[in-house]
Amino acid sequence: MSQSFHEDCAELARRAAERGVLPRRGALKALGALGLLPATGGAARAQAAKELVICNWGGLANEGFSRNYGAPFEAANPGFKVAMNSTGPSAGRIKSMVDSRAVTWDLCDSSASASRVLGKDNLVSRIDYNVVKKSDVISEAFALEYGAAPYSFSSVLAYDSAKFPNGGPQNWADFFDTRRFPGTRLLRRDALAVLDAAQIALGKDPARLYPLDARACLAKIRDIRRNAVFWNNGSESEQFLRTGEATMGIIWHTRAKVLEDESKGRIKFTWNQGLLQAGIFVIPRGNPGGADAQRLLASMLANPEPQVELLKLLGNGPTNPRAAALVPQEFKRFNPTDPANAAQQVTLDGNWWGDNYTELNQEVIDIITG
């Protein structure tokens, strides 16, 4: 199963902390803002009048989350304690909890497409947009019926410029053109973003990308399969380009930045036709905190400063429109939601993918392995 972007952020942060690139306190702060830290015990938590629990994919400690998102919410809402659970909020686990009426989580790190699937199956609550403010996100794509996004990320085209002395690929048509731009391609072992890139390469107007022509997009992947390698996690995506096994690839922008820095600019990436995605949180139906989970989610979206800290330390894009003005100049180029960068990209349609992901992802896997 392919690693999620959120899981990969945890890995990147751990690696950076181990190398001393991030001080421990900075790593904790960043991971906490992402919701990547497990819960800890203690008297303060035990004495809390009301507790809200966010389930995520793991991290280092609870301190960072408390500082970046928990503390502002707690200060504005005396008597509340925000805790973390790091056991991994897979769709299957959410379904099991809801079906057994034993829900222990209030907010779960998910995805746009999964929120649609879970919502259609009556497993998560609708977002109350009288509480959560759509004005706190940059577009409707980050405020869906069953989930809202306090962070963003992108899939971008990265390439080894040393392999292309006359200029490297700059769009998805170039990526799929093995005659003009020879070499092995690198794609994620997943339908998301891969089929969207194929559709753009086929010439469809990016402003009217959905619905995808699934048959044509799958054929495009089939055509390139013999000239491609596929990654399951962020580390693999780096390694294929680092070693030269692939000359270009569709990878997460956070990994593209690592490669650009490490290679001193030899491995480049472009925001042009990047595929911008929402980091969605959902509320399991029957969550113990009830409507207070909506208030916590609202707080996560409404406060831009922690989102900027995530960008500075991990590369996650802010989704609050007021965050852009707070981003230091040296980080703007690596911010997927910087207005100049976002204008070049296409935002993935989470609702369309929620209706089509399961079938299309299986077809992509069949093509890759067939």
Side-chain angles (χ1 to χ4, degrees):
M1 186 174 183
S2 293
Q3 180 190 52
S4 71
F5 175 80
H6 212 74
E7 292 172 281
D8 190 50
C9 278
E11 181 182 330
L12 270 175
R14 292 189 193 100
R15 192 175 76 180
E18 288 169 1
R19 297 200 317 269
V21 174
L22 292 181
R24 178 173 173 79
R25 181 172 177 178
L28 290 172
K29 186 176 182 181
L31 288 170
L34 262 175
L36 287 168
L37 304 175
T40 58
R45 179 179 165 193
Q47 294 168 3
K50 295 182 180 180
E51 183 176 78
L52 295 173
V53 178
I54 294 179
C55 188
N56 57 78
W57 297 96
L60 299 175
N62 193 47
E63 176 188 346
F65 178 82
S66 297
R67 213 174 263 169
N68 285 277
Y69 284 156
F73 182 80
E74 292 166 3
N77 300 275
F80 278 86
K81 180 69 179 177
V82 179
M84 296 300 302
N85 179 293
S86 61
T87 54
S90 68
R93 294 196 68 195
I94 292 173
K95 175 175 170 53
S96 177
M97 277 191 175
V98 175
D99 287 348
S100 63
R101 299 185 180 180
V103 179
T104 59
W105 304 330
D106 292 293
L107 279 172
C108 296
D109 179 32
S110 186
S111 69
S113 56
S115 75
R116 173 83 164 180
V117 173
L118 291 166
K120 288 168 66 178
D121 289 342
N122 201 32
L123 297 172
V124 295
S125 299
R126 285 184 170 86
I127 303 304
D128 182 353
Y129 285 109
N130 293 313
V131 177
V132 179
K133 302 302 181 185
K134 290 187 176 182
S135 59
D136 284 335
V137 292
I138 57 175
S139 82
E140 293 274 339
F142 298 87
L144 303 178
E145 184 176 8
Y146 295 101
Y151 74 94
S152 68
F153 60 100
S154 292
S155 297
V156 298
L157 169 53
Y159 62 95
D160 187 339
S161 63
K163 307 290 186 182
F164 305 103
N166 297 320
Q170 295 301 308
N171 54 51
W172 298 122
D174 291 348
F175 180 86
F176 282 92
D177 188 341
T178 56
R179 183 180 60 81
R180 290 180 57 229
F181 298 94
T184 300
R185 271 54 178 168
L186 172 65
L187 297 89
R188 187 182 179 203
R189 192 179 292 267
D190 198 279
L192 270 169
V194 169
L195 293 187
D196 310 73
Q199 182 70 88
I200 297 172
L202 286 164
K204 192 169 184 180
D205 181 0
R208 298 175 178 82
L209 196 62
Y210 302 93
L212 301 183
D213 181 344
R215 295 306 107 195
C217 293
L218 289 166
K220 196 77 170 167
I221 304 304
R222 189 174 291 108
D223 288 345
I224 205 174
R225 179 175 69 90
R226 300 295 182 189
N227 201 45
V229 289
F230 300 88
W231 58 271
N232 285 304
N233 58 61
S235 292
E236 283 184 356
S237 71
E238 278 190 28
Q239 193 65 9
F240 278 118
L241 287 166
R242 181 182 292 114
T243 62
E245 189 171 348
T247 61
M248 64 182 76
I250 304 174
I251 66 174
W252 288 320
H253 80 278
T254 44
R255 292 290 180 169
K257 180 185 183 299
V258 169
L259 286 167
E260 181 179 289
D261 290 345
E262 178 188 282
S263 69
K264 296 181 169 38
R266 190 190 87 244
I267 297 176
K268 302 181 183 299
F269 75 95
T270 178
W271 290 113
N272 186 42
Q273 297 183 350
L275 300 159
L276 182 61
Q277 295 157 73
I280 292 286
F281 279 78
V282 299
I283 300 172
R285 184 168 292 280
N287 67 294
D292 289 323
Q294 303 271 359
R295 296 168 58 208
L296 175 56
L297 182 58
S299 175
M300 292 164 66
L301 269 64
N303 293 298
E305 291 84 1
Q307 297 183 9
V308 175
E309 290 303 310
L310 285 177
L311 170 68
K312 289 160 61 177
L313 293 168
L314 296 178
N316 293 44
T319 57
N320 187 302
R322 298 180 295 281
L326 305 176
V327 175
Q329 185 62 40
E330 65 269 27
F331 291 97
K332 289 182 182 293
R333 193 173 81 77
F334 302 107
N335 175 13
T337 54
D338 182 83
N341 299 333
Q344 301 179 60
Q345 300 182 75
V346 180
T347 303
L348 263 66
D349 186 331
N351 288 327
W352 188 89
W353 270 112
D355 293 337
N356 294 276
Y357 176 77
T358 301
E359 177 185 350
L360 291 181
N361 193 58
Q362 186 57 57
E363 293 200 52
V364 167
I365 299 302
D366 289 345
I367 289 170
I368 293 171
T369 57

